[in-house]
Amino acid sequence: MPLQTDGIRGSRLTARTVLTALLLALPLTAAAQDVATGSGAIPDNYYRAELVVLERIVEPEAVNERMGDRAVEPTPESNAILRAVDASGTANTTLDLVPTSELHLSSAVQRLERSGRYRVLVAAGWYEAFPPDYQGEPLKVAVGDWLNGAETREIEGTISIDRQRYLHVGVNLNHWQLAPMESMEPEPMRAEPVATEEAPADDSAATLPAETAATPVAEMTQTADKAPLELLTWIRETRRMRSEEIHFLDSPTIGVLVFFKRIEASE
């Protein structure tokens, strides 16, 4: 059962070696018998899709990459949800998930958690038809710790599944942390020029109290906005999938395991 991985650098070598050993210990067959649709008929191009999102337990200071200055496009809105956990801890999904014990990756999930090196944030599997030219709506992900003030989970983004001739999975995940406090300090006060008869004030400035007119716009915006975020790492990758192969897409702090099994009528 081949394992596809990205390049290895720096401190990721040991972690990747451990993860590879854990995955190679998986059985060659699923832990539970495949199920049909309930009507007794299995559609064409029918698969069990499995996704595991994990966080590598590492101090942010140990990450070699410095991505705090990267420009990040806002995550697009999507009605499809893989797993999204709100501020109260309530998890939501729009998928009809099967029990984790029935996943082919269930053994990997258990081994990863027991290793003490990873935290499994999502372990999801479901049955779906992926015909040629299938364009799936991106699945929303919002998991990990809640970042107070920023009103977001530390790991958020989308995972998409498309098919042309072959299945492709696109992972677009961000791993955030709160920006250092020094970058959150307001700009110093700047006095506005005093209006005189020779240089009368305009109407908008004249309607503000003196102390408000002297407050910089940047400070007023920062007060109203959420706490600023800083990018720790991200995953930006699209991978071609092969049925019954485990694929691993990762960054120094997060990773995604992907597995597809095609369900044939004879099964």
Side-chain angles (χ1 to χ4, degrees):
M1 178 172 53
L3 172 67
Q4 296 187 3
T5 59
D6 305 329
I8 301 172
R9 351 174 232 198
S11 62
R12 299 165 67 183
L13 176 59
T14 301
R16 183 68 69 80
T17 301
V18 171
L19 182 59
T20 301
L22 291 170
L23 295 177
L24 290 178
L26 284 172
L28 293 177
T29 58
Q33 185 177 6
D34 295 317
V35 297
T37 61
S39 63
I42 296 179
D44 293 334
N45 303 295
Y46 197 54
Y47 292 81
R48 186 179 68 247
E50 301 184 14
L51 294 172
V52 173
V53 179
L54 56 92
E55 179 181 7
R56 180 183 167 205
I57 299 175
V58 59
E59 292 297 326
E61 296 78 12
V63 178
N64 294 327
E65 285 80 353
R66 293 292 179 263
M67 302 183 69
D69 59 349
R70 290 288 184 96
V72 181
E73 293 291 330
T75 299
E77 292 295 327
S78 178
N79 293 321
I81 302 173
L82 176 63
R83 183 177 176 85
V85 185
D86 63 20
S88 68
T90 302
N92 296 293
T93 182
T94 57
L95 301 173
D96 185 14
L97 300 179
V98 301
T100 304
S101 60
E102 294 185 8
L103 302 182
H104 180 75
L105 294 176
S106 61
S107 296
V109 168
Q110 296 170 17
R111 289 183 173 89
L112 290 167
E113 291 178 331
R114 288 198 300 265
S115 74
R117 297 173 180 268
Y118 300 92
R119 180 164 62 137
V120 175
L121 304 174
V122 179
W126 70 99
Y127 290 87
E128 187 173 348
F130 299 107
D133 300 321
Y134 174 88
Q135 294 290 325
E137 184 174 4
L139 295 166
K140 179 180 178 180
V141 176
V143 292
D145 294 335
W146 181 256
L147 299 180
N148 288 320
E151 307 304 309
T152 187
R153 291 284 162 183
E154 63 175 341
I155 297 170
E156 61 81 30
T158 60
I159 299 176
S160 60
I161 301 174
D162 301 312
R163 184 179 178 187
Q164 293 85 46
R165 181 178 179 184
Y166 300 101
L167 281 166
H168 290 81
V169 170
V171 178
N172 190 323
L173 294 178
N174 305 308
H175 190 171
W176 298 102
Q177 62 182 354
L178 291 175
M181 291 300 295
E182 55 267 21
S183 66
M184 299 169 60
E185 295 179 358
E187 296 182 5
M189 299 285 286
R190 294 192 297 270
E192 298 291 331
V194 178
T196 64
E197 293 183 358
E198 290 77 12
D202 60 31
D203 293 339
S204 59
T207 59
L208 294 173
E211 65 272 16
T212 305
T215 304
V217 174
E219 182 181 344
M220 295 169 65
T221 303
Q222 186 177 25
T223 302
D225 286 349
K226 301 173 184 177
L229 292 169
E230 181 177 273
L231 186 66
L232 182 59
T233 64
W234 68 14
I235 302 179
R236 297 288 188 275
E237 185 175 351
T238 297
R239 180 80 62 81
R240 171 183 160 183
M241 299 288 113
R242 293 180 182 274
S243 183
E244 299 193 53
E245 290 186 4
I246 297 175
H247 297 255
F248 183 46
L249 299 80
D250 74 329
S251 79
T253 63
I254 50 178
V256 180
L257 290 169
V258 187
F259 179 82
F260 285 87
K261 177 175 176 59
R262 185 161 185 165
I263 309 302
E264 304 291 349
S266 60
E267 300 183 45

